[in-house]
Amino acid sequence: MENAPAIRNEGGRGSRVRLAWVALALLVIYPFFPFLDLAVELVTGESLRLDRQIVSIAIFAVLALALNLQVGYAGLLQLGIAAFFAIGAYTTGILTVAKYPFQLELWGALAAAPFVAGFAGLALGAPTLRLRGDYLAIVTLGFAEVVRVLLINLEGITDGPRGLNPIPEPWLPAWLRSAVDVSADAQRVRFLAVYFLAVGSVVALYITFRTLERSKLGRSFVALREDELASACMGVNPTRTKLIAFAAGAAIAGYAGALYACNLTTTAEPNTYDFNYSVMVLCCIIIGGLGSVRGAILGAAVLLGFDNVLSPLVTKLLQRATTSDSSNVLYSFSNWRWLIFGTALVLIMRFRPKGLWPSERVAADLREDES
Amino acid sequence: MALLELENVSASYGSIEALCNIDLHVEAGEIVTLIGANGAGKTTTLMTTSGILRAKSGRIRFDGKDLIGVPAHEVVGLGLAHSPEGRRIFSRMTVLENLELGAFGRSDKEGIQKDINRVFELFPILGERRHQAGGTLSGGEQQMLALGRAMASRPKLLLLDEPSLGLAPLFVHRIFEVIRELNREGVTVLLVEQNARMALKLAHRGYVLETGRITLTDTGENLLKNERVQSAYLGE
């Protein structure tokens, strides 16, 4: 009986916690000492600028965690996460740029964006969450397209394809500025602020979600996903619980959008927030493991790491090796990305259907399948 | 006044009528059983009572409150626990987590702990496997867990739907023993069973359902002796 497969972590926990601390410490010192960049430059002669990519990965991880709350925890198949991401970005734009009278400090916009996106989530979720899985997917997909087209066509408000910009830099206390600003320029200070904001957000969300998993609300998400009727018999209010997950996920996606706009200093053009973007986020939580917090972060790192770090690097190296015909599209590694994404997804579905790094709960399920 | 009272209750799935003017009552402290063939409306009666299915017409009163229109998740809080057909335990959650979910609406930590310990006392195997995922339990153990989970809300009335379905005789006996024991402690039980003989032996009173109508009601003992019941449900 004692040998029966148990869900509780058996050993290895201590080392995993230590690993997390080491990773966090590395992330904190990285912008000051980019050892990987130096190493890559030494070997290949190409510069990497990995610290910039870490910001993108962290922002994408926040978005992935938002979708994981909706799809992974609550089982709501949402195909339009990009809409809430866009709403967050444009809220930040409208509240900060010179075109509008608000001209809020960036911190204010960062706080407001999740509210606006969360409210949009409530407004969309309240009438539609009673729909069964596939129908909800269609509604959210349609909603995302409507938002994108609105952003393109409401030129008076959104500046259409130009996007709202420039988004101002965040206010920092003078002592902090002078502490960092020994030799660096203002650009660098801004970058560091965004860097630590993005990485800090991922860490904060990680802790929040891990706590949520052990809470009553977290349990009711899992119960609801497993068996709606039985959960209702236990006293879980299905409609309300789903709505909480959907609105909270939308709010976090909006926050990610605000970070994104802040990082780019522009809301970017509306076509950034298209269906492909939603699918990318979905891919990243499927690759990482649905319902797994660490999986979502890993998925973001793998996908964006491939897209923004590995693929440009390989492309450059390829082009250098084949100087004869650098205009040939086949020599550009980036052009192969969808093929490689697709293949990777198929392989993962075939060989590791629970994802690269599933949650303990799902992992336990997996062991049981194997036995 | 009866603890549970159904008066003229009708219910349907779309255009298919499943219950037609059902009248039944359960007094506090009783074990009452519903017997009948497949599709007679036994499960529907329980589902309508606990609010999973909406009654088309009629009145349902529980503990002095009107239950019509009260959604299922609120009914639990009133002291009516429904253990649905087919066990439906949460297979990815541990045994303990399943039981804790049973006490979802309660906030008295000590009371919950006491009730969960009581479940482990009644079904020691669940205590041994408390950290094991529910899906890895055997069918009998899962049924015990489903019963324990319903008990964890500390209900006044327990609706049990086919607790013996598909179980080995040993498990069936244990489940029925526990139902009797719970009843002695003051829990009222409305039991739906295929195994009519065991159910009628256990119950104080019984109702016979045929195609959505109640056709017969009497004490358990008398129903066991009833010729029609014997030939239709007891196979004699």
Side-chain angles (χ1 to χ4, degrees), chain A residues 221-233:
Chain A
F221 288 147
V222 178
L224 203 61
R225 197 184 48 202
E226 279 202 33
D227 192 329
E228 189 165 333
L229 188 146
S231 326
C233 283

Side-chain angles (χ1 to χ4, degrees), chain A residues 1 4-8 216 219-220 222-223 226-227 229-238 361-362 365 368, chain B residues 52 72-73 76 82 84 88 90-94 97 100-102 104-106 125 128-129 131-133 135-136 149:
Chain A
M1 229 94 345
I7 274 188
R8 294 292 138 112
K216 216 166 171 173
R219 292 268 183 86
S220 58
V222 178
E226 279 202 33
D227 192 329
L229 188 146
S231 326
C233 283
M234 303 298 110
V236 176
N237 182 339
R361 209 181 280 290
V362 179
D365 213 40
E368 159 205 332
Chain B
I52 295 168
H73 61 266
V76 198
H82 181 186
R88 304 190 88 129
F90 303 110
S91 56
R92 282 188 183 178
M93 293 189 170
T94 63
E97 286 172 326
E100 282 168 356
L101 253 168
F104 187 79
R106 295 171 60 184
I125 187 80
E128 284 169 30
R129 306 199 161 179
H131 294 311
Q132 199 172 320
T136 63
R149 192 178 60 176

Side-chain angles (χ1 to χ4, degrees), chain B residues 74-88:
Chain B
E74 284 174 24
V75 169
V76 198
L78 300 175
L80 193 162
H82 181 186
S83 179
E85 189 179 6
R87 311 193 274 266
R88 304 190 88 129

Side-chain angles (χ1 to χ4, degrees), chain B residues 155-190:
Chain B
K156 294 185 194 119
L157 173 64
L158 204 50
L159 306 185
L160 299 177
D161 201 341
E162 304 271 10
S164 77
L165 193 71
L167 298 192
L170 198 68
F171 281 121
V172 178
H173 275 282
R174 183 66 199 136
I175 299 264
F176 273 70
E177 256 172 49
V178 168
I179 295 173
R180 193 191 304 269
E181 204 162 327
L182 287 175
N183 179 251
R184 240 182 257 131
E185 288 168 17
V187 181
T188 310
V189 178
L190 178 55

Side-chain angles (χ1 to χ4, degrees), chain B residues 78-123:
Chain B
L78 300 175
L80 193 162
H82 181 186
S83 179
E85 189 179 6
R87 311 193 274 266
R88 304 190 88 129
I89 57 150
F90 303 110
S91 56
R92 282 188 183 178
M93 293 189 170
T94 63
V95 168
L96 188 61
E97 286 172 326
N98 265 282
L99 293 173
E100 282 168 356
L101 253 168
F104 187 79
R106 295 171 60 184
S107 49
D108 54 323
K109 277 201 170 146
E110 278 170 36
I112 294 173
Q113 197 52 56
K114 218 182 101 200
D115 287 357
I116 288 179
N117 286 339
R118 175 80 182 122
V119 172
F120 290 155
E121 222 172 88
L122 289 170
F123 302 116

